[in-house]
Amino acid sequence: MSAQSANRRLTAPDIAARKGDAEAAPIVALTAYTAPMARLVDQVADVILVGDSLGMVVYGYDSTLPVTVDMMILHAQAVMRASTRALVVVDLPFAAYEAGPVQAFEAAARIMKETGCGAVKLEGGAHMAETVRFITQRGIPVMGHTGLTPQAIATLGSFRAQGRERAQWPQMIADAQAIAEAGAFSVVVEAVAEPLAVEITKAVHVPVIGIGASAQCDGQILVLDDMLGLTPRTPKFVRRYAEIGAQAERALADYAQEVRERRFPSPQQTYPERKGDQKA
């Protein structure tokens, strides 16, 4: 990390410039939805994504489809308040941009104005290129998202990996290229066959950030709660770097037991009576 980037928040052009920079380390990206987590992630990440995955992670929905623009704004505001260095990217949720470029711009502009974030992200391949071009030409940086696109779960049928058959590769490579050529500063590629991810990374002129893709991508992103072990089930592509969920369960059980046995609070957690000039 350069001294310059340490003293200011990273921008979309900063991330875009990492493509082809032999001296630059791969881009580190993670999701965050709350101020406490954003404060932690900001210490290590280049990009914080306020993902619509919050619908599943925070709200307990079965998919990302119920997420609204209002929900995204509230969480993005919290993340922005708690971070100072990472580029904050906010997902455009389902039904906020698919109707056309004007709808997409209005949603993106509202999110940018009300949160102060540095970019938005939208899902889709070549059919979304016109929308990406429309938004970026009007001053809003866009991160693309191809491969497995969770907002299309109703048509995909399941959260399954994409591009496992080589016959699918040309279209998937073309999708990523179309989004990049339309002006996206980077493209997330999710849950695709590893050699396909390598080919996409070579074919696209902006950074390709993988999730369930390849170590050869220009960067990586994971859902924070997945990699910390806070979610009960995780996709194959997630490495659980901690098991905080299990630790929390033990802590909660210890607390409950001590309360029931009247061992909490102890004298160390209570206030004695003040007598005379004695201070509490």
Side-chain angles (χ1 to χ4, degrees), residues 37-225:
M37 288 301 191
R39 193 171 293 112
L40 293 173
V41 171
D42 193 50
Q43 299 177 41
V44 301
D46 305 304
V47 176
I48 298 177
L49 173 65
V50 186
D52 61 356
S53 50
L54 64 83
M56 303 170 76
V57 174
V58 177
Y59 291 94
Y61 293 125
D62 292 331
S63 73
T64 62
L65 301 187
V67 176
T68 66
V69 171
D70 287 341
M71 291 164 66
M72 297 305 304
I73 287 173
L74 286 173
H75 287 273
Q77 288 171 337
V79 169
M80 285 296 296
R81 284 193 291 266
S83 63
T84 60
R85 193 190 74 85
L87 168 67
V88 175
V89 181
V90 180
D91 266 341
L92 292 179
F94 176 72
Y97 63 96
E98 291 88 345
V102 173
Q103 182 205 31
F105 174 76
E106 290 174 350
R110 182 184 168 206
I111 288 172
M112 294 279 289
K113 288 176 68 174
E114 295 187 27
T115 70
C117 70
V120 298
K121 181 171 76 65
L122 58 78
E123 296 181 4
H127 67 286
M128 293 305 302
E130 179 185 356
T131 294
V132 171
R133 185 173 292 107
F134 188 90
I135 296 175
T136 57
Q137 287 178 346
R138 285 156 180 77
I140 297 178
V142 174
M143 175 182 283
H145 184 151
T146 64
L148 172 61
T149 48
Q151 292 178 10
I153 185 61
T155 54
L156 292 175
S158 66
F159 295 109
R160 63 180 183 274
Q162 304 294 300
R164 302 290 291 273
E165 299 177 7
R166 191 169 286 265
Q168 300 171 321
W169 290 18
Q171 182 59 58
M172 298 185 73
I173 293 171
D175 281 338
Q177 288 178 317
I179 294 300
E181 290 167 2
F185 71 92
S186 64
V187 180
V188 170
V189 175
E190 180 172 356
V192 302
E194 197 275 341
L196 170 58
V198 174
E199 292 302 312
I200 291 174
T201 302
K202 293 177 181 177
V204 174
H205 72 275
V206 298
V208 172
I209 299 176
I211 177 169
S214 171
Q216 299 307 308
C217 292
D218 302 300
Q220 303 294 327
I221 186 168
L222 283 177
V223 172
L224 182 65
D225 298 64

